[in-house]
Amino acid sequence: MNVGTAKRSKEELMEAMRKPELINGSEILLRSLVLEGVECVFGYPGGSVLYIYDAMHGFSDFNHLLTRHEQGAIHAADGYARSTGNVGVCIATSGPGATNLVTGIATAFMDSVPLVVITGNVATTAIGTDAFQEADITGITMPITKHSYLVRDVNDLPRIIHEAFFIANTGRKGPVLIDIPKDVSAQTAMFHPASEVNIRGYNPTVHPNKLQVEKLIKAIEEAEQPLIIAGGGVVYSNASKELLEFINKTQIPVTTTLLGLGGFPSAHELWVGMPGMHGTYTANQAIQNADLLISIGSRFDDRVTMKLDGFAPKAKKIAHIDIDPAEIGKNVKTDIPVVGDIRSVLEYANTKAKPAKSEKWIERLQESKRNFPLKYKDSDTVLKPQYVIEMINETTKGEAIVTTDVGQHQMWVAQYYKFQHPRSWISSGGLGTMGFGFPSAIGAQMGNPDKLVVSINGDGGMQMCSQELAICAINNIPVKIVVINNQVLGMVRQWQEIIYDNRYSHIDLAGSPDFVKLAEAYGVKGLRATNKEEAQKAWQEALDTPGPVLIDFVVAKHENVFPMVTQGSTISEMLMGEDD
């Protein structure tokens, strides 16, 4: 089959894809992906998926991006999914190809990102024999997938693929794995596309119990110091517009979690910042003084709550809106549980919503924002990382899609970049995966070719994924790659300084490569800045360059992220700066 040699209209394409025909499992897979609306696949071939890659020869009905590592492929698929709202797809071979995906699968699982992960396996006759490059990938990933399939009959493929996309992108979203033995990908069958999904026992609650929503509305009307914690669920359910309407109607201040950034515009007067370990003073004090706390799509993660004994002590009632009933009451006792899709919940709530008695509360929090802003000690001689983030924010006007790796730079971006739109912030939250930032930006750029995508990385995380620079060069993917280079594992150093009494252990990254030369070796323009003037010039040059650019910002080595709440402390106990 060579169905992709000529460009067709979408209607013609779909009609051709649905045509019953005797084809092999690999061709069934490709047709099914097109019918699911897949536009881009990230992958890396190997022996067990060679029939699939053979079927891709001349196939142009979706784009395949060959990464340089399987982990790069799945992080790119993740970035594509988070930035577009569509299911991300990646392919890898059996054995090490499949196991190289594990960290990326766990990353997506922890952050509820919809992925369909396709792996090859040895032939069905060899399964269980410890054959060359055999690995029980369905068993290995069972705790970190929403569901998984081991395909043993080619006739099941259309149904399995259709189910996988449905499961990945409904309810609490997450990764689904499809493991296809090599002989199954070669077997032939009459292709009949799946059109219905009927999975016994899987029926996520979308529409809420209206009585529970009305209880919440009544509690809001009685509250004088209410607060909303908005999490990633707001973004994933495409409920940002409904949340804005809800807050405007109820006049409730809102704090957005790390994954919730962009789900509510940071320019809004009722936004009080990010909560938790590196949250703002106002957000944390608002939680501690609220009489009604409402979690919307946030799972009360430990980096938000910190020490649970002492979290939100003045809250007379705690409400929790989530599509996953297992999250409600798991970490924090809940008085008003509301199970359902957040968009659906807020749509109904907005028909009943009335203002809280929150005028004095709002004035108090706005005064706190003025008195306790985020701050750092700027310098005219040493480049500060916070300055770099502020510069990027000002020049992009908060309109770029920004991805980060994990560490100090991640927290500085969360603090100093002012996100205005959902799906403009992409970062590994639950798993905290180093190496995620740059590949996820490639996926985001593939999904949003007309938008500016900025990937902000530490010098540690950048070295875990730098091989993907080749992909940007070869395909002219115009990601702007920022390296916040402090020659050290910054967040580990900060903990060792503050918590471990300056006992620095194995954090020195002074032997890292010259990132400018590294970029140039791959064919990507490289720039460096060591002070404010150089930073402004290099960043403007990067913005003016149509293709990919890497900018190495050499920043102060001993800069810390503040505010900070140390583990074992409540969010009332904040370290505010160097002199604290």
Side-chain angles (χ1 to χ4, degrees), residues 228-234 243 247 254-261 263-264 275 294-298:
I228 288 171
I229 301 177
V234 172
L243 177 63
I247 287 170
V254 58
T255 174
T256 45
T257 68
L258 182 70
L259 292 182
L261 292 172
F264 186 81
I294 307 168
S295 170
I296 303 181
S298 170

PDB file of all heavy atoms in Angstrom, residues 228-234 243 247 254-261 263-264 275 294-298:
ATOM      1  N   ILE A 228      -9.537  29.960  45.505  1.00  0.00           N
ATOM      2  CA  ILE A 228      -9.505  28.850  44.548  1.00  0.00           C
ATOM      3  C   ILE A 228      -8.059  28.475  44.268  1.00  0.00           C
ATOM      4  O   ILE A 228      -7.213  29.337  44.024  1.00  0.00           O
ATOM      5  CB  ILE A 228     -10.207  29.244  43.231  1.00  0.00           C
ATOM      6  CG1 ILE A 228     -11.722  29.322  43.444  1.00  0.00           C
ATOM      7  CG2 ILE A 228      -9.881  28.252  42.112  1.00  0.00           C
ATOM      8  CD1 ILE A 228     -12.475  29.905  42.270  1.00  0.00           C
ATOM      9  N   ILE A 229      -7.769  27.163  44.340  1.00  0.00           N
ATOM     10  CA  ILE A 229      -6.499  26.630  43.847  1.00  0.00           C
ATOM     11  C   ILE A 229      -6.804  25.959  42.509  1.00  0.00           C
ATOM     12  O   ILE A 229      -7.489  24.939  42.462  1.00  0.00           O
ATOM     13  CB  ILE A 229      -5.883  25.604  44.819  1.00  0.00           C
ATOM     14  CG1 ILE A 229      -5.627  26.229  46.194  1.00  0.00           C
ATOM     15  CG2 ILE A 229      -4.588  25.044  44.245  1.00  0.00           C
ATOM     16  CD1 ILE A 229      -5.085  25.234  47.216  1.00  0.00           C
ATOM     17  N   ALA A 230      -6.331  26.562  41.420  1.00  0.00           N
ATOM     18  CA  ALA A 230      -6.599  26.032  40.084  1.00  0.00           C
ATOM     19  C   ALA A 230      -5.382  25.257  39.591  1.00  0.00           C
ATOM     20  O   ALA A 230      -4.267  25.779  39.594  1.00  0.00           O
ATOM     21  CB  ALA A 230      -6.928  27.169  39.121  1.00  0.00           C
ATOM     22  N   GLY A 231      -5.594  24.022  39.179  1.00  0.00           N
ATOM     23  CA  GLY A 231      -4.491  23.158  38.763  1.00  0.00           C
ATOM     24  C   GLY A 231      -4.512  22.830  37.283  1.00  0.00           C
ATOM     25  O   GLY A 231      -5.267  23.404  36.491  1.00  0.00           O
ATOM     26  N   GLY A 232      -3.698  21.854  36.916  1.00  0.00           N
ATOM     27  CA  GLY A 232      -3.565  21.455  35.521  1.00  0.00           C
ATOM     28  C   GLY A 232      -4.846  20.950  34.913  1.00  0.00           C
ATOM     29  O   GLY A 232      -5.024  21.011  33.692  1.00  0.00           O
ATOM     30  N   GLY A 233      -5.764  20.458  35.744  1.00  0.00           N
ATOM     31  CA  GLY A 233      -7.037  19.968  35.228  1.00  0.00           C
ATOM     32  C   GLY A 233      -7.840  21.037  34.515  1.00  0.00           C
ATOM     33  O   GLY A 233      -8.612  20.731  33.596  1.00  0.00           O
ATOM     34  N   VAL A 234      -7.668  22.288  34.917  1.00  0.00           N
ATOM     35  CA  VAL A 234      -8.349  23.392  34.236  1.00  0.00           C
ATOM     36  C   VAL A 234      -7.867  23.480  32.792  1.00  0.00           C
ATOM     37  O   VAL A 234      -8.657  23.658  31.853  1.00  0.00           O
ATOM     38  CB  VAL A 234      -8.096  24.723  34.974  1.00  0.00           C
ATOM     39  CG1 VAL A 234      -8.623  25.903  34.165  1.00  0.00           C
ATOM     40  CG2 VAL A 234      -8.719  24.703  36.362  1.00  0.00           C
ATOM     41  N   LEU A 243     -13.502  29.110  33.853  1.00  0.00           N
ATOM     42  CA  LEU A 243     -12.946  29.497  35.149  1.00  0.00           C
ATOM     43  C   LEU A 243     -12.913  31.018  35.286  1.00  0.00           C
ATOM     44  O   LEU A 243     -13.248  31.560  36.349  1.00  0.00           O
ATOM     45  CB  LEU A 243     -11.529  28.933  35.305  1.00  0.00           C
ATOM     46  CG  LEU A 243     -10.798  29.338  36.590  1.00  0.00           C
ATOM     47  CD1 LEU A 243     -11.523  28.810  37.823  1.00  0.00           C
ATOM     48  CD2 LEU A 243      -9.353  28.846  36.571  1.00  0.00           C
ATOM     49  N   ILE A 247     -14.831  33.057  38.245  1.00  0.00           N
ATOM     50  CA  ILE A 247     -14.144  33.938  39.199  1.00  0.00           C
ATOM     51  C   ILE A 247     -14.688  35.363  39.118  1.00  0.00           C
ATOM     52  O   ILE A 247     -14.866  36.034  40.138  1.00  0.00           O
ATOM     53  CB  ILE A 247     -12.627  33.877  38.964  1.00  0.00           C
ATOM     54  CG1 ILE A 247     -12.101  32.533  39.466  1.00  0.00           C
ATOM     55  CG2 ILE A 247     -11.904  35.027  39.653  1.00  0.00           C
ATOM     56  CD1 ILE A 247     -10.680  32.225  39.102  1.00  0.00           C
ATOM     57  N   VAL A 254      -7.683  33.713  43.183  1.00  0.00           N
ATOM     58  CA  VAL A 254      -7.249  32.415  42.665  1.00  0.00           C
ATOM     59  C   VAL A 254      -5.733  32.326  42.668  1.00  0.00           C
ATOM     60  O   VAL A 254      -5.028  33.279  42.361  1.00  0.00           O
ATOM     61  CB  VAL A 254      -7.812  32.177  41.243  1.00  0.00           C
ATOM     62  CG1 VAL A 254      -7.369  33.270  40.288  1.00  0.00           C
ATOM     63  CG2 VAL A 254      -7.406  30.812  40.701  1.00  0.00           C
ATOM     64  N   THR A 255      -5.237  31.152  43.043  1.00  0.00           N
ATOM     65  CA  THR A 255      -3.823  30.816  42.907  1.00  0.00           C
ATOM     66  C   THR A 255      -3.724  29.639  41.954  1.00  0.00           C
ATOM     67  O   THR A 255      -4.553  28.723  42.000  1.00  0.00           O
ATOM     68  CB  THR A 255      -3.184  30.483  44.266  1.00  0.00           C
ATOM     69  OG1 THR A 255      -1.840  30.031  44.068  1.00  0.00           O
ATOM     70  CG2 THR A 255      -3.939  29.410  45.026  1.00  0.00           C
ATOM     71  N   THR A 256      -2.742  29.668  41.052  1.00  0.00           N
ATOM     72  CA  THR A 256      -2.587  28.580  40.087  1.00  0.00           C
ATOM     73  C   THR A 256      -1.339  27.770  40.411  1.00  0.00           C
ATOM     74  O   THR A 256      -0.260  28.334  40.628  1.00  0.00           O
ATOM     75  CB  THR A 256      -2.489  29.122  38.648  1.00  0.00           C
ATOM     76  OG1 THR A 256      -1.592  30.234  38.610  1.00  0.00           O
ATOM     77  CG2 THR A 256      -3.845  29.573  38.145  1.00  0.00           C
ATOM     78  N   THR A 257      -1.472  26.460  40.427  1.00  0.00           N
ATOM     79  CA  THR A 257      -0.352  25.569  40.709  1.00  0.00           C
ATOM     80  C   THR A 257       0.641  25.589  39.563  1.00  0.00           C
ATOM     81  O   THR A 257       0.397  26.204  38.513  1.00  0.00           O
ATOM     82  CB  THR A 257      -0.836  24.127  40.919  1.00  0.00           C
ATOM     83  OG1 THR A 257      -1.328  23.615  39.661  1.00  0.00           O
ATOM     84  CG2 THR A 257      -1.942  24.059  41.970  1.00  0.00           C
ATOM     85  N   LEU A 258       1.742  24.888  39.732  1.00  0.00           N
ATOM     86  CA  LEU A 258       2.770  24.830  38.687  1.00  0.00           C
ATOM     87  C   LEU A 258       2.170  24.420  37.347  1.00  0.00           C
ATOM     88  O   LEU A 258       2.415  25.060  36.321  1.00  0.00           O
ATOM     89  CB  LEU A 258       3.879  23.859  39.096  1.00  0.00           C
ATOM     90  CG  LEU A 258       5.047  23.739  38.118  1.00  0.00           C
ATOM     91  CD1 LEU A 258       5.887  25.008  38.105  1.00  0.00           C
ATOM     92  CD2 LEU A 258       5.919  22.539  38.452  1.00  0.00           C
ATOM     93  N   LEU A 259       1.370  23.345  37.339  1.00  0.00           N
ATOM     94  CA  LEU A 259       0.783  22.881  36.089  1.00  0.00           C
ATOM     95  C   LEU A 259      -0.451  23.685  35.706  1.00  0.00           C
ATOM     96  O   LEU A 259      -0.929  23.571  34.573  1.00  0.00           O
ATOM     97  CB  LEU A 259       0.442  21.387  36.177  1.00  0.00           C
ATOM     98  CG  LEU A 259       1.634  20.437  36.257  1.00  0.00           C
ATOM     99  CD1 LEU A 259       1.170  18.997  36.280  1.00  0.00           C
ATOM    100  CD2 LEU A 259       2.605  20.663  35.102  1.00  0.00           C
ATOM    101  N   GLY A 260      -0.958  24.478  36.617  1.00  0.00           N
ATOM    102  CA  GLY A 260      -2.116  25.308  36.312  1.00  0.00           C
ATOM    103  C   GLY A 260      -1.765  26.645  35.703  1.00  0.00           C
ATOM    104  O   GLY A 260      -2.659  27.390  35.275  1.00  0.00           O
ATOM    105  N   LEU A 261      -0.474  26.989  35.646  1.00  0.00           N
ATOM    106  CA  LEU A 261      -0.060  28.281  35.094  1.00  0.00           C
ATOM    107  C   LEU A 261      -0.566  28.437  33.658  1.00  0.00           C
ATOM    108  O   LEU A 261      -0.423  27.527  32.835  1.00  0.00           O
ATOM    109  CB  LEU A 261       1.460  28.420  35.134  1.00  0.00           C
ATOM    110  CG  LEU A 261       2.091  28.526  36.528  1.00  0.00           C
ATOM    111  CD1 LEU A 261       3.601  28.462  36.437  1.00  0.00           C
ATOM    112  CD2 LEU A 261       1.656  29.818  37.228  1.00  0.00           C
ATOM    113  N   GLY A 263      -3.678  28.682  32.982  1.00  0.00           N
ATOM    114  CA  GLY A 263      -5.098  28.338  33.042  1.00  0.00           C
ATOM    115  C   GLY A 263      -5.950  29.506  33.486  1.00  0.00           C
ATOM    116  O   GLY A 263      -7.171  29.513  33.281  1.00  0.00           O
ATOM    117  N   PHE A 264      -5.319  30.502  34.103  1.00  0.00           N
ATOM    118  CA  PHE A 264      -5.982  31.745  34.494  1.00  0.00           C
ATOM    119  C   PHE A 264      -4.990  32.865  34.219  1.00  0.00           C
ATOM    120  O   PHE A 264      -3.804  32.751  34.561  1.00  0.00           O
ATOM    121  CB  PHE A 264      -6.363  31.709  35.982  1.00  0.00           C
ATOM    122  CG  PHE A 264      -7.180  32.887  36.419  1.00  0.00           C
ATOM    123  CD1 PHE A 264      -8.547  32.920  36.184  1.00  0.00           C
ATOM    124  CD2 PHE A 264      -6.589  33.968  37.054  1.00  0.00           C
ATOM    125  CE1 PHE A 264      -9.309  34.002  36.573  1.00  0.00           C
ATOM    126  CE2 PHE A 264      -7.346  35.063  37.451  1.00  0.00           C
ATOM    127  CZ  PHE A 264      -8.721  35.080  37.210  1.00  0.00           C
ATOM    128  N   PRO A 275       1.232  28.831  44.409  1.00  0.00           N
ATOM    129  CA  PRO A 275       1.375  28.438  45.810  1.00  0.00           C
ATOM    130  C   PRO A 275       2.496  27.426  46.013  1.00  0.00           C
ATOM    131  O   PRO A 275       3.079  26.916  45.060  1.00  0.00           O
ATOM    132  CB  PRO A 275       0.020  27.788  46.098  1.00  0.00           C
ATOM    133  CG  PRO A 275      -0.302  27.082  44.802  1.00  0.00           C
ATOM    134  CD  PRO A 275       0.259  27.966  43.713  1.00  0.00           C
ATOM    135  N   ILE A 294     -11.178  26.031  47.634  1.00  0.00           N
ATOM    136  CA  ILE A 294     -11.774  25.272  46.526  1.00  0.00           C
ATOM    137  C   ILE A 294     -10.668  24.832  45.580  1.00  0.00           C
ATOM    138  O   ILE A 294     -10.029  25.660  44.916  1.00  0.00           O
ATOM    139  CB  ILE A 294     -12.801  26.125  45.756  1.00  0.00           C
ATOM    140  CG1 ILE A 294     -13.843  26.715  46.703  1.00  0.00           C
ATOM    141  CG2 ILE A 294     -13.467  25.296  44.666  1.00  0.00           C
ATOM    142  CD1 ILE A 294     -14.703  27.788  46.055  1.00  0.00           C
ATOM    143  N   SER A 295     -10.429  23.544  45.508  1.00  0.00           N
ATOM    144  CA  SER A 295      -9.461  23.008  44.551  1.00  0.00           C
ATOM    145  C   SER A 295     -10.192  22.661  43.266  1.00  0.00           C
ATOM    146  O   SER A 295     -11.162  21.896  43.280  1.00  0.00           O
ATOM    147  CB  SER A 295      -8.774  21.757  45.113  1.00  0.00           C
ATOM    148  OG  SER A 295      -8.007  21.121  44.105  1.00  0.00           O
ATOM    149  N   ILE A 296      -9.705  23.217  42.161  1.00  0.00           N
ATOM    150  CA  ILE A 296     -10.304  22.931  40.855  1.00  0.00           C
ATOM    151  C   ILE A 296      -9.224  22.322  39.974  1.00  0.00           C
ATOM    152  O   ILE A 296      -8.326  23.008  39.496  1.00  0.00           O
ATOM    153  CB  ILE A 296     -10.876  24.211  40.211  1.00  0.00           C
ATOM    154  CG1 ILE A 296     -11.897  24.874  41.142  1.00  0.00           C
ATOM    155  CG2 ILE A 296     -11.504  23.885  38.862  1.00  0.00           C
ATOM    156  CD1 ILE A 296     -12.522  26.133  40.566  1.00  0.00           C
ATOM    157  N   GLY A 297      -9.272  21.009  39.807  1.00  0.00           N
ATOM    158  CA  GLY A 297      -8.295  20.328  38.967  1.00  0.00           C
ATOM    159  C   GLY A 297      -6.903  20.311  39.536  1.00  0.00           C
ATOM    160  O   GLY A 297      -5.922  20.192  38.800  1.00  0.00           O
ATOM    161  N   SER A 298      -6.782  20.422  40.843  1.00  0.00           N
ATOM    162  CA  SER A 298      -5.494  20.325  41.527  1.00  0.00           C
ATOM    163  C   SER A 298      -5.586  19.203  42.544  1.00  0.00           C
ATOM    164  O   SER A 298      -6.596  19.080  43.245  1.00  0.00           O
ATOM    165  CB  SER A 298      -5.158  21.646  42.224  1.00  0.00           C
ATOM    166  OG  SER A 298      -4.048  21.505  43.077  1.00  0.00           O
TER     167      SER A 298
END
